[in-house]
Amino acid sequence: MATTHHAVIDVLAGYRPKTAAELADVNRVNALVEVDDPWLWTNPLHVTASALIVHPGSGRVLLRWHPRHQSWLLVGGHADPGEYAPLAIALREAHEETGLPDLSPWPDPEVRHLAIVPVPANSQEEPHEHADLRFVLATQVPEVARPENPDAPLRWLSLEEARMAITEANIQDTLSRVEPLLAG
């Protein structure tokens, strides 16, 4: 269990929240890490890892349609058994969901955003929250992106197009944090 805790603590140690609400979210995750496995899906709050995939050469971003939420979201998700490193989880999920073979952290491996997002109940699970650790990953071969299934299409979008397509405020916030990196 210490390994699961250590990886999340390490990622959050260098993270600088941008708002008081985000600082409260960091404190909630740190409190979770102190008492339980932060990756455990049965916790009402558990950690997930996701990424905004970018193509630095064109300034475009890749979004994935999420059928359950009926919206354009980032790629990412839950840890598999035995996984504890947030960046590795985001990389695995991104590769699975897009087929992109060359994904790498960009411009560095730092977490760019922590967002606690509500997840509504469905027939298989109670309502809960994801403490989503968000990274930026880059590809040099955007044309090879392929959705993992037809119900979850992918779209390469300019920043303006992405702002128009994204309906969730927490994803808009992540996009706004990445925009200066693409402009820079």
Side-chain angles (χ1 to χ4, degrees):
M1 181 98 65
T3 304
T4 66
H5 293 44
H6 189 59
V8 173
I9 290 168
D10 285 351
V11 166
L12 290 178
Y15 183 65
R16 301 291 170 250
K18 303 223 183 293
T19 66
E22 194 175 1
L23 177 59
D25 289 347
V26 169
N27 291 337
R28 284 184 68 197
V29 174
N30 282 327
L32 171 66
V33 168
E34 289 179 21
V35 298
D36 208 343
D37 178 349
W39 301 101
L40 199 60
W41 293 21
T42 55
N43 286 334
L45 170 66
H46 54 269
V47 176
T48 56
S50 65
L52 181 61
I53 297 175
V54 301
H55 178 241
S58 67
R60 293 179 302 158
V61 299
L62 184 65
L63 297 178
R64 178 182 185 265
W65 181 255
H66 198 293
R68 179 175 175 190
H69 295 281
Q70 292 292 295
S71 60
W72 292 99
L73 301 177
L74 309 177
V75 297
H78 294 93
D80 283 347
E83 287 184 314
Y84 309 113
L87 178 56
I89 294 163
L91 279 162
R92 177 190 50 75
E93 286 280 343
H95 177 72
E96 288 175 1
E97 294 177 7
T98 68
L100 289 166
D102 68 333
L103 293 170
S104 61
W106 186 86
D108 55 49
E110 301 303 315
V111 66
R112 294 291 167 191
H113 190 196
L114 165 65
I116 294 185
V117 294
V119 179
N122 66 17
S123 62
Q124 300 173 0
E125 57 189 3
E126 296 293 318
H128 58 280
E129 295 176 299
H130 287 169
D132 197 30
L133 298 170
R134 296 177 175 172
F135 299 88
V136 180
L137 303 177
T139 182
Q140 298 306 316
V141 290
E143 67 279 0
V144 303
R146 300 290 179 268
E148 69 179 326
N149 69 62
D151 293 336
L154 304 170
R155 285 179 63 191
W156 282 106
L157 302 167
S158 69
L159 290 170
E160 182 178 334
E161 292 167 331
R163 276 191 293 277
M164 292 174 26
I166 296 168
T167 57
E168 301 202 20
N170 69 83
I171 306 290
Q172 290 279 0
D173 191 3
T174 301
L175 186 66
S176 72
R177 294 167 191 236
V178 175
E179 188 169 1
L181 299 174
L182 286 168

